[in-house]
Structure formats: structure tokens, C-alpha cells
Amino acid sequence: MLANFELRENKGRDSVWAGRYENLHNLPHWHMECELLYIEKGQVTVSLNNTVYELKKGNAFFIDSREIHYIKGSPSSITEIIMFDSRILVEIAPGHRPQHPQLSPHSFIADYYREIKKELSLQERYFDLRVRSLLTLLMLDIFRKEPLVHRGKSRDNTSMENYKNLLGEIEEKCSYITFEDAAAFMGLSKPYFSRFFKTVSGMTFSQYLNIIRLEKAIYLLNHNTRQLSITDIASCCGFDTIRHFNRVFRELTGFSPRELPENYILTSHSVKSMGKNFNPTLPSSLLLED
């Protein structure tokens, strides 16, 4: 089932992950790690805490621990990502973060990325210590060049905390929750809620709800121990008609319910050593091999 808190496991000193994505597109989510983006090619839209940023080649972007965000790259765009344990920053400037998430252009970020990725790939002796050292030097160089702000002045607010709670509510009640229910849960008028949800999520409420419902349907199709019919599965996942279910199913998977490959999943789980439970990255994204 989809969730929107991305849980990652770190064992020992394996606290850094690096990867390059073509056409990166993921659902709104948050995680305990910090995330550093560098746009290698094309244009990328990042939504962070209800603010949308348009990035282009050479731009860098910092996402702090626990901040809600999604990333949507243009076709053929390439985004370099480094994710790391936020505790590493305590060694640099305790309690401080870059004032602006969109960083000044720093070409050295790409150089550090290549070195970190190489160490992670080869895993030669003491590679984990070298990776941590490289990451510390990278963030130190960024912190030297960027205006900083104390984390007590973070961009988080009550609306974003309510939004996090709403995502859990949608997952739990996906078969019957309505747009009106969601707006009431947030305490917002329907027009304002519609704009707010689209900005934060990168999609409309109905589009997001369809993804959640379809993930549930796919799970039931893959684990159909009760021998439910496709019509029964569609109904218990909240689709009002089998025609609507079939249309959404094909739009999002490329298959009909009967054609679905065994063990198909709607969201990608290609992040390797750090990944567990939910990875918000959609299958249209391609994790590149360096």
C-alpha cells in the first residue's frame, strides 16, 4: 500500500545514497534524510512545502529532513541525487540550514557527486568512511557559500502538518473518502483546498486518490486469496463502475486488470541499499547506471 512517509534503513555507517534519474517523477512524500539535487540536464519542477520551484541545468536544491516535496522532471531531464543522514550536518553547523532551498549555482556539487557515486559503487576498503568525509566536505563548501538560517525558523507550518495527516486519512479511507471530506479534514474551503492540494501534490485530489485506490486494487489482484471478481475488487477499492475502474487501470499501468503481470507494482522500488516499504518514485523514472 502507498504511504507518504518514505522509510529508509541505514545499517552501520551506510548513511549516504547517490543516484541519477532520467525523467524523475515521484509522489509527494517526506523522509528523515536530507536530499541534495543537482540538475544535470533539462528542466525539473520541485514542490517543497507548498512552494513550487522551476530548476534548470546547473541548478542545485536542498531538501531538509521531514519536508514534504515532490520532483517532476521534463522528458529526458537528468537529476543527480544525494541522500544522507541529517545528523551529518550537526558536525558542520548545528541547528542551521541554507536559508533558501534553491542554492546558488555550484559546479563542484557534480564533482562531489561523481566521487561519492564511485566510492559507493566500488566499495573498496574504507569506502564508507571516505563517502562520509566527501559528503561532509560537500556540505561544508555549500554552507560556506550560502546564507544560513537557524532551523527554528523553518518553513513548516500547521497546514503542512495537517496535509501529512490527510495523506494517512486518504490511505486508510481511500475506498469512500470524498473531495468534500478531505477539504473538511483540512478545514479549508473547497476552492482553496483544490488549489492547495494541486500545488503541494502536483496533481488533483481525484488523480491522487485514483493512484491510492489503484495501488490497493493491484495488491488485491496479486493476493486474491478470497477469489474476488474484478468487479468486486473495483467496488471495494472505491470505483463506482467497472468501466471507470478499467479506464483508470489502463491509464496508470498500461494493462487491463486481466493482463496485469504477476507481482506488478505501481510505484518503483529501485532505490537499493537504503530502501524499505515506500518509494514514491513512479515507474516512468529511470534510474541510470553510471
Side-chain angles (χ1 to χ4, degrees):
M1 289 295 295
L2 279 174
N4 292 86
F5 170 67
E6 185 183 6
L7 177 63
R8 291 169 174 264
E9 271 193 342
N10 298 322
K11 297 181 179 179
R13 290 168 291 187
D14 183 17
S15 57
V16 181
W17 180 87
R20 294 167 66 236
Y21 278 99
E22 183 176 5
N23 191 32
L24 177 60
H25 188 191
N26 52 37
L27 299 174
H29 64 289
W30 68 96
H31 37 67
M32 301 305 293
E33 296 78 24
C34 295
E35 188 168 0
L36 182 64
L37 311 179
Y38 183 81
I39 311 307
E40 180 182 321
K41 177 183 176 184
Q43 296 181 326
V44 176
T45 299
V46 179
S47 173
L48 180 70
N49 295 336
N50 201 21
T51 301
V52 175
Y53 301 84
E54 299 295 339
L55 309 181
K56 60 183 180 180
K57 179 180 177 180
N59 288 165
F61 198 87
F62 176 78
I63 300 169
D64 202 0
S65 169
R66 301 181 180 88
E67 291 191 311
I68 297 175
H69 60 283
Y70 73 81
I71 305 165
K72 185 176 183 180
S74 63
S76 300
S77 62
I78 298 179
T79 305
E80 298 175 0
I81 297 178
I82 301 175
M83 299 189 70
F84 58 93
D85 191 328
S86 61
R87 289 173 293 185
I88 291 176
L89 299 183
V90 175
E91 303 171 11
I92 300 172
H96 287 79
R97 296 293 188 271
Q99 183 176 1
H100 306 291
Q102 185 168 346
L103 307 176
S104 305
H106 299 306
S107 59
F108 62 78
I109 293 178
D111 297 332
Y112 273 108
Y113 169 85
R114 284 189 288 270
E115 285 297 312
I116 290 172
K117 181 64 175 177
K118 178 181 177 181
E119 290 290 339
L120 290 172
S121 298
L122 296 177
Q123 295 194 11
E124 295 178 344
R125 188 168 51 174
Y126 306 127
F127 81 94
D128 51 350
L129 294 177
R130 179 162 170 77
V131 165
R132 187 180 181 90
S133 298
L134 287 167
L135 193 281
T136 301
L137 288 171
L138 165 59
M139 295 309 299
L140 178 60
D141 284 349
I142 290 175
F143 275 43
R144 276 182 165 180
K145 297 178 183 298
E146 294 291 328
L148 303 179
V149 64
H150 194 274
R151 189 167 181 171
K153 300 178 181 179
S154 69
R155 296 176 290 275
D156 205 3
N157 54 47
T158 301
S159 293
M160 299 311 297
E161 288 302 314
N162 289 342
Y163 173 79
K164 289 180 181 179
N165 293 331
L166 173 63
L167 297 182
E169 190 81 354
I170 293 172
E171 182 187 358
E172 181 181 348
K173 302 177 179 179
C174 67
S175 61
Y176 58 88
I177 194 171
T178 65
F179 175 86
E180 290 74 16
D181 294 336
F185 183 91
M186 290 285 295
L188 301 175
S189 68
K190 290 188 286 187
Y192 184 83
F193 172 72
S194 179
R195 294 192 297 271
F196 174 87
F197 195 93
K198 178 69 179 295
T199 299
V200 177
S201 303
M203 61 188 74
T204 66
F205 174 80
S206 61
Q207 289 170 331
Y208 183 83
L209 182 59
N210 279 340
I211 291 175
I212 300 297
R213 287 175 169 174
L214 201 62
E215 187 74 6
K216 180 179 179 180
I218 289 171
Y219 178 85
L220 291 175
L221 286 168
N222 287 334
H223 304 82
N224 194 5
T225 57
R226 295 164 55 192
Q227 299 300 308
L228 296 173
S229 69
I230 291 177
T231 300
D232 289 338
I233 289 174
S235 178
C236 73
C237 292
F239 291 95
D240 48 359
T241 67
I242 189 65
R243 182 178 180 182
H244 181 212
F245 175 66
N246 287 334
R247 178 177 61 80
V248 172
F249 201 100
R250 186 172 288 278
E251 283 179 357
L252 294 180
T253 69
F255 303 98
S256 72
R258 297 187 186 280
E259 297 169 340
L260 189 71
E262 187 177 357
N263 297 322
Y264 178 91
I265 55 175
L266 187 60
T267 51
S268 167
H269 291 260
S270 56
V271 173
K272 297 175 183 177
S273 64
M274 293 180 68
K276 183 183 178 183
N277 287 359
F278 170 66
N279 182 338
T281 305
L282 299 179
S284 57
S285 307
L286 177 62
L287 183 62
L288 301 174
E289 296 293 336
D290 294 292

